[in-house]
Amino acid sequence: MAKFVGKIFCKIAEGNDVDRLASFKDEENVVYQKDIPYAEGGVPQRLLNIYKPKDAEGKLPVIIDIHGGGWWYGDKELNRFYDQWLASQGFAVVGFSYRLAPHATFNMQVEDVFALFNKVIELADEQGFDLNNVFLTGDSAGGHLASVAINILHNPKLKELFGVDSKISFRAVNFTCGALYPSSMMVAPMGLFFREVLGKGYKKSPYFKAFDFDSSTPCPMVPCTLISGSKDFLRNMTKRAFAELQEKGADCEMYFTEKCEDENYRPEHVYNILYPKNKEALEVNGKMIAFFKKHMA
């Protein structure tokens, strides 16, 4: 039953994305490399893309982007036009795929995220990455994985629990419509959905306690931005995280869109990534980029 629910979710999401992606064109001022392996084993999902401004010279600051998809769906191509826009702002952008449920549990996805981090370090000289200026962004489930990664990087016990580590350091992080507190979603029938993400008996899993964003961990070490909108079904998670971070004195900003000027668009879940050239998307994404640049070394 759990796998059936997940497959239905993936089928619906894929149908929506095929037409959307077909409506976009590549950025003319951006070049990219595709399908670079970042981990051993020949797994098709463990590949990355690199996007850079055309004719860029010298080292570039880096943005690592973790795509969403409810831990079950998607790959690096979902965000390629968003990643190209980010690259057009003067960054090298690394988008990547990771293993998905039901074939991979949450901890395996975390392993992929950290394998990607370490591959970015390995590729730095070859690709001209400025490792003194690395930034992280993730949307929806990718925002969740970004938050967990930040928690792990600053918690030795979590590094031991997940069996991962990296010398990567982030100047700032962004959470777009992040599923930052997924334990609050674990009510019927969503329990079936999460059983394949955390494993059977998931509430007894050693990873369960690390599943929600710990707002005390990145504060004040990692400045952050949060993006959401009035039609985002996870907007309350963004608001909760922002309130907690503010209370702890974090260097953080929230960019929240109430409505879109064009009536054909709504500030729905990951609206700024689905349609990165929409006016409101350009506004919030531009603010995120300005925040990142403000925090460069």
Side-chain angles (χ1 to χ4, degrees):
M1 182 62 178
K3 291 181 180 179
F4 176 76
V5 172
K7 287 180 179 179
I8 292 297
F9 163 73
C10 293
K11 193 71 175 179
I12 294 171
E14 182 178 12
N16 292 334
D17 283 324
V18 168
D19 291 340
R20 178 182 64 83
L21 291 170
S23 70
F24 295 118
K25 294 182 179 180
D26 290 330
E27 292 272 358
E28 293 182 357
N29 60 342
V30 169
V31 294
Y32 58 95
Q33 302 169 58
K34 293 187 65 173
D35 298 335
I36 301 170
Y38 66 83
E40 296 180 356
V43 179
Q45 293 88 351
R46 304 173 97 181
L47 300 171
L48 64 87
N49 291 351
I50 300 174
Y51 306 86
K52 296 178 183 177
K54 197 172 184 178
D55 301 323
E57 296 182 359
K59 290 187 176 182
L60 290 171
V62 183
I63 297 175
I64 295 173
D65 178 34
I66 309 179
H67 74 81
W71 304 274
W72 280 73
Y73 166 75
D75 60 26
K76 57 188 171 55
E77 303 305 316
L78 280 184
N79 289 13
R80 69 180 182 271
F81 297 106
Y82 169 72
D83 288 344
Q84 288 180 34
W85 183 86
L86 295 178
S88 75
Q89 305 305 299
F91 292 82
V93 179
V94 180
F96 66 104
S97 304
Y98 50 89
R99 291 172 293 175
L100 301 168
H103 306 293
T105 50
F106 164 60
N107 58 299
M108 295 168 68
Q109 295 176 349
V110 170
E111 289 173 5
D112 286 355
V113 169
F114 274 78
L116 183 282
F117 290 169
N118 291 328
K119 188 65 175 182
V120 167
I121 294 173
E122 179 185 324
L123 291 172
D125 289 340
E126 174 188 328
Q127 293 291 338
F129 295 155
D130 179 1
L131 293 181
N132 290 318
N133 287 297
V134 185
F135 302 86
L136 179 64
T137 185
D139 62 280
S140 195
H144 169 254
L145 289 170
S147 74
V148 172
I150 293 295
N151 288 164
I152 292 171
L153 283 169
H154 296 89
N155 188 322
K157 290 183 179 180
L158 290 180
K159 288 180 182 179
E160 183 178 356
L161 172 64
F162 284 92
V164 296
D165 199 1
S166 179
K167 293 182 179 179
I168 203 160
S169 178
F170 294 106
R171 287 285 174 183
V173 60
N174 171 70
F175 308 119
T176 291
C177 304
L180 301 177
Y181 305 97
S183 67
S184 65
M185 303 166 66
M186 293 180 185
V187 294
M190 291 297 289
L192 292 172
F193 186 89
F194 282 104
R195 190 180 73 179
E196 300 298 325
V197 177
L198 277 165
K200 294 180 180 179
Y202 57 86
K203 290 190 177 180
K204 295 181 180 179
S205 165
Y207 306 109
F208 181 74
K209 291 182 179 179
F211 207 42
D212 284 353
F213 174 49
D214 180 356
S215 60
S216 67
T217 299
C219 172
M221 290 175 283
V222 182
C224 66
T225 57
L226 303 98
I227 296 174
S228 185
S230 61
K231 301 300 181 181
D232 172 23
F233 72 97
L234 296 181
R235 61 189 178 277
N236 289 335
M237 292 193 189
T238 293
K239 291 179 178 180
R240 173 183 168 183
F242 181 59
E244 289 182 2
L245 289 164
Q246 277 193 312
E247 184 179 354
K248 294 177 172 64
D251 180 0
C252 64
E253 295 180 2
M254 181 174 69
Y255 314 132
F256 193 89
T257 301
E258 290 289 348
K259 63 180 181 179
C260 294
E261 185 177 282
D262 187 336
E263 293 182 357
N264 293 317
Y265 297 98
R266 303 188 309 160
E268 60 186 352
H269 191 58
V270 301
Y271 63 99
N272 58 308
I273 292 171
L274 294 175
Y275 300 99
K277 292 298 184 71
N278 185 27
K279 177 183 177 181
E280 288 75 18
L282 289 169
E283 182 177 348
V284 296
N285 292 339
K287 288 180 178 178
M288 178 193 75
I289 288 294
F291 186 89
F292 283 1
K293 289 183 175 180
K294 182 177 73 173
H295 287 84
M296 283 186 186

